[in-house]
Amino acid sequence: MRGPAVAIGLPFLLFCGLIAAGFLMPGWLRFITLIALAKGLVVLSLMLLMRAGLVSFGQGLYYGLGAYAAGLGVNLLKVTEALALLALGVAVAGAVAWVLGFLLTRYREIFFAMLSLAFSMILYGLLVKSSALGSTDGFNLPTPTFLGFAFAGTAARHALFVLTASVAFAAALLLHRYLGSTRGYLGEAIRENEIRVEYLGASVRGALHVKYVLSAALAGAGGALTAVATGHIDPDLAYWTTSGEFVFVAILSGTGSVAAPFLGSFVFEMIRTYAFAYSPNTWQMVVGATMLLVIIFMPGGLWSLFRRRPRLVTRS
Amino acid sequence: MSTPILETRNLDKAFGAVIAAAAVNVRVEAQEIVGVIGANGAGKTTFVNMVTGYLTPDAGTILYRGRDITALPPREITRLGICRSFQIPQLFPGLTVLDNVLVALGIASSRRLGFWRALRSPARIESAERLLADYGLSEFRDRMITVLPQGVRKLLDIAMTTVGRPAIVLLDEPTSGISVEEKFPIMTTILDALRATEATIMFIEHDMEIVERHAARVVAFYDGRVIADGPTREVLTNADVRQYVIGAELHRRR
Amino acid sequence: MLTLVAILVDGVIYSSWLFIVSAGLTLIFGVMKILNIAHGGLYALGAYTAVSAIGSYFAGGYPPLASYALLLLVAVVVGLVFGLLIERGVLRLMYGRDEIVIVLVTYGVFLIIEDAIKVIWGASPYYASQPYGLLGRVQISGLAFSVYDLGLIALASVTGALLWWGLNRTRNGKLLLAVIHDREISAAMGVDVRRVFTVTFVIGAMLGALGGAFTAPTTSVVPSIGVELIVLAFAVVVIGGLGSIEGAAIGALVVGISRASSVHLLPEAELFVIYGVMSLVLAFRPQGLFRRVVARKI
């Protein structure tokens, strides 16, 4: 165990460095980092489920819900405060997950993956066909205010970056704490042996339900931040390829640390950006090939590069 | 007569045409140590499964300290204080031995599970290490489950069963899959650790020498029915038991 | 009444197309336990290859009716070449890895195929409607239906019958069923599981390409056809029960009829209905309608 000073100090330094870097970065890099952080929240939400042995092929459902909730918050409810929009995205995603959780926690493995995919496709089908929400084109939303301040131009983009980085940092820290707690470890326990968990006196479905709602809330936050950051939303946020991409980034990242999803997300956005810049017609091919290479050569994900090999025997 | 700690009344259970339990009546008083014997398929594990809520009986009631617990799920029965071990150890194979015990302790220690306080608190690590020491497992503390020999897994399974200090412990073949030389010391370790917690113990066992040495009372099953129940010596010399249970065990040994 | 006829006929036509594609997907899942997203890519490859083949065939002035045989040939060749390439080149390295990881691998292959198609054929739509127009139309209860579309029903029936016969009446088919039932025991009994995997994957790939090839004449072939197809096929096989050919038939009918009803009665709900039905089925029958009772080893 490292000392508490390192455990808290190092991430905090990293966070300060990230914020400072945000002010120094060129605009395009800041935007990519911003999107990577927002999407990193969705990947983090998948990691939470994966630690409990569940893989969702429909996390786009909550990503899309968070984004549309924030978008409608601006356009319909006339909410302009970024934090309020974020809260709205989280609340809507969490509430829907709470309802669906009663059904989904009965499923495991491929059935869980497919059923979550089905639900995300239902949302996609609804969004595509609702002309009030712009059908396939979606709609735009204006720059929000931050804690009451209306920034414009570069200032607004900086504010957005600070907000997103702060949310990502807070979420990662809270989740780290949670994963180290008894309830957090319950995820691994359920993945490893549900019968034993029940026979120790804990409810498997209850625990999974909580994790599912938490995961949706994180993905909803990611969606709301993406909506606010890009100023545009469309049904593709909920399409199955979006969900599939998140699963890939989660595998790319590995489940070793709460920092991994953000790192993985950043690496993925960079690969995508460069692939798109240098070969606009074959960027998917580059992404697909990367996917295959990572899976073949790095079974533990990117994070395994930073970690010593798991030890069988330690400290005598 | 005082209320028994555990009582089953006319438990029936059938799997298709196979009768796994027929009018099973068993009363157990607090702090008894009861051996359960019977050939394979006689209904011993079904009995444990019904008492701990893994199976619901077709008919009959199960009372714990006079309270009806018949259709409760395993987690609630565990919370009430009835725990069981498994013939095939039910562990968390991807975790270390210490983490297995820590998770067990974490879940058992409080009704409302912590989502904020770390699982690996120094106090909890200390009690986990104490438990491992009680079962002679200290040297395996940081091993992964997948590299452990069967005997160690069985012991760990039983150690994890007892983390909540249950009032009743049901051991399903604690010595199966363990070599003849290891059986006796392992059983002694288990029962010493359990006696210290003043638990009521029922154990399923095929080895009559172990039964004779550790049980004060024996319940014998045959074809889903209890064919004998009483002091160990009486049951083991009972003609039916000699024919249907012990005879079968002798065949098994060869 | 007319609407009902339209729903039924349209629904069955749509189901036939879905069945051909889904049968391949479910066969691969049943034998190999792989949910193959690349199936969408094979479908698209079948469609594009068919478009090019039909184009040059009709430009060459060969007998028009033989173009149907050409479509079949395209399916066989595409399935054989790409099926072998994917199974031998990629999947073989992955056997034994987690189910979800293999799904992702097939997703990666799918992305590569998609872009390869864009590189070869470009992004603009293609048409190859000659075989479609060739057969004209017939009247059913006063509604006109294309004979080609009705021919799809026949094609699906023949495909289904051949699959059934192949699985239940031939030695190799029975070996396949044995592998579906219990892979380990089959391996222990001396079945060459790797070989069975290759053959299965190629047959599955041919079915995917077959669906694509015969769809090409009925629609504009665009790069997104694969993405849209694969989620539909997922719905079909999940409704029917993963790995069951009979299930794929029933699932295809359920999806086909629901979609046709929605198109005729409530067009806004088209996609919604398909996945709504899938969720409903899973809610009540978690293993799908055709549940294969699996003997669990404890």
Side-chain angles (χ1 to χ4, degrees):
Chain A
M1 271 275 149
R2 290 164 300 174
V6 180
I8 297 171
L10 187 66
F12 191 71
L13 273 180
L14 267 172
F15 171 64
C16 293
L18 182 66
I19 297 283
F23 283 96
L24 301 173
M25 282 176 196
W28 65 270
L29 184 59
R30 186 174 53 237
F31 185 72
I32 289 177
T33 314
L34 173 60
I35 294 298
L37 287 169
K39 288 190 172 177
L41 284 169
V42 189
V43 181
L44 190 66
S45 80
L46 281 177
M47 181 187 115
L48 174 63
L49 291 179
M50 279 161 99
R51 285 176 83 116
L54 297 176
V55 179
S56 163
F57 257 88
Q59 207 67 350
L61 170 64
Y62 300 111
Y63 185 57
L65 274 178
Y68 271 83
L72 291 176
V74 184
N75 290 3
L76 218 64
L77 307 176
K78 306 295 172 209
V79 178
T80 55
E81 173 56 42
L83 281 175
L85 294 175
L86 177 68
L88 199 61
V90 169
V92 169
V96 172
W98 183 74
V99 175
L100 293 185
F102 288 102
L103 182 67
L104 276 162
T105 50
R106 288 162 46 191
Y107 299 86
R108 303 289 179 273
E109 297 165 9
I110 209 85
F111 295 98
F112 178 85
M114 288 294 105
L115 196 56
S116 18
L117 178 115
F119 283 127
S120 73
M121 287 304 288
I122 288 178
L123 177 70
Y124 176 79
L126 286 175
L127 293 176
V128 163
K129 296 284 177 180
S130 37
S131 45
L133 300 179
S135 299
T136 46
D137 294 334
F139 58 89
N140 291 327
L141 48 159
T143 310
T145 57
F146 300 91
L147 298 170
F149 295 103
F151 296 104
T154 319
R157 288 195 283 277
H158 282 304
L160 204 55
F161 185 83
V162 173
L163 172 75
T164 309
S166 312
V167 171
F169 179 68
L173 219 56
L174 288 175
L175 203 71
H176 178 72
R177 187 82 209 204
Y178 170 80
L179 289 175
S181 74
T182 303
R183 261 196 184 281
Y185 264 93
L186 211 48
E188 273 101 323
I190 289 169
R191 183 189 69 209
E192 297 289 333
N193 193 338
E194 293 189 15
I195 291 182
R196 174 52 93 179
V197 170
E198 286 276 330
Y199 266 108
L200 284 168
S203 161
V204 169
R205 281 191 65 189
L208 288 180
H209 202 155
V210 172
K211 281 171 198 289
Y212 188 67
V213 173
L214 275 181
S215 151
L218 282 171
L225 288 170
T226 306
V228 172
T230 56
H232 176 78
I233 47 187
D234 62 47
D236 276 353
L237 295 165
Y239 200 51
W240 74 267
T241 51
T242 311
S243 304
E245 196 179 289
F246 287 133
V247 178
F248 166 60
V249 181
I251 301 264
L252 170 76
S253 312
T255 56
S257 152
V258 290
F262 297 101
L263 181 75
S265 183
F266 181 74
V267 170
F268 181 77
E269 289 301 320
M270 288 305 270
I271 293 174
R272 202 229 302 266
T273 306
Y274 275 97
F276 200 76
Y278 287 105
S279 66
N281 294 319
T282 54
W283 69 272
Q284 286 202 85
M285 200 183 265
V286 176
V287 168
T290 315
M291 215 179 258
L292 296 186
L293 292 177
V294 167
I295 291 172
I296 295 173
F297 294 110
M298 266 194 285
L302 277 179
W303 198 253
S304 60
L305 296 177
F306 296 90
R307 220 175 34 176
R308 281 162 295 169
R309 293 168 52 79
R311 294 160 297 185
L312 289 182
V313 190
T314 49
R315 284 173 295 194
S316 46
Chain B
M1 212 155 94
S2 67
T3 314
I5 190 162
L6 180 71
E7 181 179 7
T8 70
R9 291 185 187 156
N10 294 313
L11 290 186
D12 289 340
K13 183 76 189 175
F15 301 104
V18 179
I19 309 285
V24 173
N25 291 296
V26 174
R27 287 168 62 105
V28 182
E29 303 295 332
Q31 295 194 38
E32 266 193 291
I33 298 182
V34 182
V36 178
I37 61 173
N40 285 330
K44 308 178 302 292
T45 298
T46 303
F47 174 76
V48 171
N49 284 343
M50 287 193 293
V51 169
T52 57
Y54 193 69
L55 294 174
T56 310
D58 298 338
T61 39
I62 302 163
L63 302 172
Y64 171 63
R65 296 189 206 271
R67 178 185 160 182
D68 187 352
I69 59 162
T70 309
L72 293 182
R75 62 170 177 280
E76 285 177 35
I77 290 176
T78 301
R79 290 276 182 204
L80 287 173
I82 304 179
C83 292
R84 64 155 316 167
S85 72
F86 299 85
Q87 233 177 95
I88 302 161
Q90 298 293 327
L91 307 170
F92 304 123
L95 307 182
T96 63
V97 170
L98 180 67
D99 280 351
N100 266 269
V101 177
L102 284 174
V103 168
L105 280 169
I107 296 174
S109 62
S110 62
R111 189 164 258 279
R112 298 182 59 81
L113 298 176
F115 59 87
W116 187 248
R117 302 234 326 261
L119 175 75
R120 299 164 148 276
S121 68
R124 194 174 283 138
I125 291 180
E126 206 191 305
S127 32
E129 284 172 338
R130 216 176 311 126
L131 185 71
L132 288 177
D134 284 348
Y135 282 86
L137 295 170
S138 297
E139 60 175 303
F140 304 105
R141 182 183 183 275
D142 295 307
R143 299 267 173 92
M144 301 297 278
I145 300 304
T146 38
V147 302
L148 296 180
Q150 181 69 4
V152 176
R153 291 187 201 202
K154 293 287 280 203
L155 276 174
L156 181 59
D157 179 75
I158 292 164
M160 284 169 71
T161 298
T162 62
V163 289
R165 299 213 146 232
I168 303 179
V169 178
L170 301 152
L171 303 172
D172 192 354
E173 302 200 15
T175 66
S176 71
I178 295 176
S179 69
V180 183
E181 308 85 69
E182 280 181 309
K183 269 187 180 182
F184 286 89
I186 280 185
M187 199 59 192
T188 308
T189 310
I190 295 169
L191 286 174
D192 283 350
L194 282 179
R195 269 194 213 101
T197 69
E198 300 188 337
T200 307
I201 301 162
M202 291 186 86
F203 66 95
I204 298 178
E205 182 54 63
H206 284 290
D207 190 317
M208 293 309 146
E209 283 181 58
I210 289 181
V211 174
E212 225 173 335
R213 182 177 303 184
H214 293 290
R217 173 185 156 199
V218 168
V219 177
F221 278 86
Y222 178 72
D223 253 1
R225 287 173 297 117
V226 174
I227 54 167
D229 180 353
T232 305
R233 192 138 295 273
E234 268 175 39
V235 173
L236 293 187
T237 51
N238 174 308
D240 283 349
V241 171
R242 293 197 72 84
Q243 184 180 352
Y244 294 119
V245 181
I246 300 175
E249 295 301 341
L250 289 176
H251 274 292
R252 222 170 96 99
R253 281 239 185 129
R254 277 184 202 130
Chain C
M1 186 55 209
L2 274 187
T3 321
L4 191 67
V5 174
I7 288 177
L8 274 180
V9 180
D10 278 353
V12 174
I13 290 170
Y14 192 63
S15 310
S16 310
W17 166 73
L18 275 175
F19 171 73
I20 296 172
V21 184
S22 312
L25 193 65
T26 208
L27 183 71
I28 291 175
F29 185 87
V31 176
M32 308 167 76
K33 299 287 170 284
I34 292 176
L35 197 62
N36 180 24
I37 295 183
H39 207 65
L42 290 162
Y43 170 84
L45 277 173
Y48 272 98
T49 314
V51 161
S52 294
I54 292 290
S56 26
Y57 184 83
F58 278 89
Y62 301 105
L65 278 176
S67 59
Y68 303 109
L70 183 66
L71 291 177
L72 274 178
L73 184 70
V74 163
V76 170
V77 171
V78 168
L80 194 64
V81 172
F82 291 95
L84 277 178
L85 210 62
I86 296 172
E87 202 273 338
R88 287 278 159 99
V90 183
L91 294 180
R92 186 141 283 200
L93 306 171
M94 305 291 172
Y95 294 144
R97 300 281 290 273
D98 192 77
E99 254 178 43
I100 297 289
V101 169
I102 299 187
V103 173
L104 269 183
V105 167
T106 64
Y107 183 40
V109 172
F110 171 73
L111 288 178
I112 294 173
I113 295 178
E114 276 234 303
D115 270 5
I117 285 175
K118 279 184 214 152
V119 169
I120 300 171
W121 282 280
S124 41
Y126 279 83
Y127 300 91
S129 53
Q130 296 92 331
Y132 187 73
L134 220 52
L135 296 175
R137 300 182 151 262
V138 285
Q139 299 278 322
I140 301 179
S141 321
L143 290 170
F145 290 98
S146 147
V147 175
Y148 182 91
D149 281 342
L150 297 175
L152 275 185
I153 302 178
L155 181 69
S157 314
V158 171
T159 308
L162 274 177
L163 271 177
W164 184 87
W165 178 81
L167 282 174
N168 294 290
R169 289 285 178 271
T170 65
R171 201 186 108 79
N172 286 327
K174 285 181 182 161
L175 285 183
L176 216 74
L177 284 184
V179 176
I180 293 181
H181 190 70
D182 194 320
R183 191 191 299 180
E184 279 148 38
I185 295 206
S186 310
M189 304 278 280
V191 177
D192 183 351
V193 174
R194 295 198 144 222
R195 202 190 149 90
V196 170
F197 276 16
T198 309
V199 172
T200 306
F201 196 83
V202 167
I203 294 175
M206 282 178 185
L207 287 169
L210 184 70
F214 275 86
T215 304
T218 67
T219 177
S220 64
V221 178
V222 291
S224 64
I225 55 169
V227 194
E228 281 157 20
L229 169 98
I230 191 67
V231 273
L232 279 181
F234 277 168
V236 169
V237 299
V238 169
I239 287 174
L242 281 161
S244 154
I245 304 272
E246 306 93 305
I250 301 293
L253 274 175
V254 169
V255 170
I257 304 277
S258 335
R259 177 179 174 271
S261 319
S262 158
V263 165
H264 285 282
L265 303 173
L266 191 70
E268 298 79 29
E270 187 187 328
L271 267 178
F272 175 84
V273 161
I274 293 170
Y275 297 101
V277 168
M278 170 177 163
S279 310
L280 265 181
V281 168
L282 277 187
F284 293 101
R285 306 234 18 184
Q287 311 279 347
L289 291 174
F290 267 68
R291 178 193 210 141
R292 204 175 274 285
V293 182
V294 187
R296 260 191 75 110
K297 289 157 284 191
I298 308 174

